[in-house]
Amino acid sequence: MHKIIDGKAIAAALRASLKPEVAALAARGVRPGLAVILAGDDPASRVYVRNKVRACEDTGVRSELHALPGDVAEGVLLDRIAELNRDRTVHGVLVQLPLPAHIAVERVLAALAPEKDVDGFHHENLGALLAGRPGLVPCTPAGVMHILEHEGVRLAGRHAVVVGRSNIVGKPLALLLLQNDATVTICHSKTAQLAEITRQANVLVAAVGRANLIGPEMVKPGACVIDVGINRLPDGSLAGDVDFGRVKDVAGRITPVPGGVGPMTVAMLIANTVRAATRALERT
Ligand code: NAD
């Protein structure tokens, strides 16, 4: 059986499932609020931010966009974060990456209040994930896990191979797969014999940023293949890291790009914002 996973539909269902929680918050006078900080005018970042803001409106979450010039001083950005950390109507703060080169991303992420860090990139949230404690989980890895759960993909005792070791996707995803009892291998740019390893995967996740890196000869027949990559091709179209046209006939299940992991990332951001609002109310 070959199945193309409909990430858009799974994301829409997840967003719809948040509505009762949003309504329960409204009944207590709280509207979840997300602040998105965008520094500079990277075109891809603009598209991502627009999608995030739109998804908020659909789900009854208030959003505010803080657009700062590309040459903004780091201190100004940090002051804005401090203000948003104090603002009781804002439950989630997201800094769209990448930041302009003169700004130290580590300092910026560390300045976020961990309980408002809806991207889950603050070291306190990453540490909570490592220790298996509840925190805010990075959206793309959480979205991948939601897809696997929705599709009924068994993980316990099975081999999951993650290609890519970034702090944003590869590493946190490997931890989540491990928490779900998979046997996990992380591959990266220095991995030797990549194809030999990926061919062993029951679940194969590509999070690299190289179009067509994963060909059909690298995939075990029947495997579940999740493509996180987003690559802009010379003709302007989008492609994942997986050679979708050829791998779809080998894989048991596969996510397309676009329409796979991307919409899930946005839905998880909304879920994290609603969760942050609920937790803020519980603390008062
Ligand atoms: P990154 O550049 O930080 O990390 C890429 C990783 O790929 C590195 O760990 C590197 O070791 C590994 N790598 C590079 N070349 C390799 C090779 N030839 N073989 C094996 N591994 C190799 O990227 P990232 O932020 O983790 O993002 C990865 C991709 O996922 C990008 O295309 C990005 O646009 C996309 N992305 C998508 C979403 C989404 O919502 N769908 C979210 C975040 C990132």
Side-chain angles (χ1 to χ4, degrees):
M1 180 200 61
H2 304 295
K3 184 182 173 199
I4 295 169
I5 297 172
D6 187 347
K8 261 185 167 169
I10 303 171
L14 173 63
R15 291 212 308 265
S17 77
L18 296 171
K19 288 190 174 164
E21 194 173 343
V22 173
L25 285 165
R28 299 182 64 185
V30 175
R31 180 151 186 231
L34 173 69
V36 179
I37 301 178
L38 174 65
D41 53 7
D42 177 64
S45 292
R46 279 183 179 282
V47 173
Y48 295 147
V49 165
R50 198 172 57 220
N51 289 342
K52 289 168 185 177
V53 167
R54 202 174 287 157
C56 281
E57 283 160 20
D58 281 359
T59 323
V61 171
R62 188 181 67 80
S63 67
E64 51 187 58
L65 175 60
H66 296 252
L68 302 172
D71 61 356
V72 63
E74 187 177 304
V76 172
L77 179 54
L78 292 174
D79 286 347
R80 184 67 62 95
I81 290 174
E83 261 170 51
L84 293 168
N85 283 346
R86 285 191 299 269
D87 186 336
R88 292 168 67 91
T89 68
V90 169
H91 305 96
V93 181
L94 174 160
V95 181
Q96 183 64 41
L97 302 180
L99 284 169
H102 66 280
I103 294 178
V105 63
E106 284 312 317
R107 265 201 296 272
V108 169
L109 295 180
L112 293 166
E115 67 277 11
K116 294 192 181 187
D117 167 40
V118 282
D119 254 344
F121 296 160
H122 188 284
H123 51 75
E124 197 171 307
N125 283 316
L126 289 173
L129 179 60
L130 184 67
R133 287 198 316 265
L136 288 163
V137 176
C139 300
T140 301
V144 171
M145 295 308 290
H146 188 88
I147 288 177
L148 295 174
E149 195 189 344
H150 179 273
E151 293 293 309
V153 175
R154 202 159 48 83
L155 291 172
R158 302 181 88 216
H159 193 178
V161 174
V162 179
V163 189
R165 58 173 162 184
S166 70
N167 289 344
I168 293 172
V169 188
K171 281 190 220 166
L173 178 59
L175 289 169
L176 291 167
L177 290 162
L178 191 61
Q179 273 171 20
N180 283 274
D181 299 328
T183 300
V184 182
T185 302
I186 306 177
C187 299
H188 47 79
S189 53
K190 301 287 191 293
T191 296
Q193 317 290 354
L194 179 64
E196 240 168 64
I197 300 169
T198 58
R199 261 202 307 274
Q200 296 171 28
N202 303 112
V203 175
L204 175 60
V205 184
V208 176
R210 272 169 213 251
N212 297 331
L213 176 74
I214 308 290
E217 71 291 351
M218 298 172 76
V219 176
K220 184 189 184 97
C224 177
V225 178
I226 306 286
D227 192 353
V228 179
I230 303 178
N231 306 290
R232 178 80 55 190
L233 299 181
D235 69 1
S237 62
L238 286 186
D241 292 340
V242 177
D243 181 350
F244 182 82
R246 297 195 298 151
V247 171
K248 72 175 181 349
D249 298 327
V250 180
R253 289 166 202 273
I254 185 167
T255 59
V257 176
V261 173
M264 287 307 303
T265 296
V266 179
M268 279 300 168
L269 171 67
I270 310 298
N272 275 351
T273 304
V274 174
R275 188 167 310 149
T278 299
R279 285 186 189 157
L281 191 61
E282 283 164 0
R283 277 195 302 274
T284 55

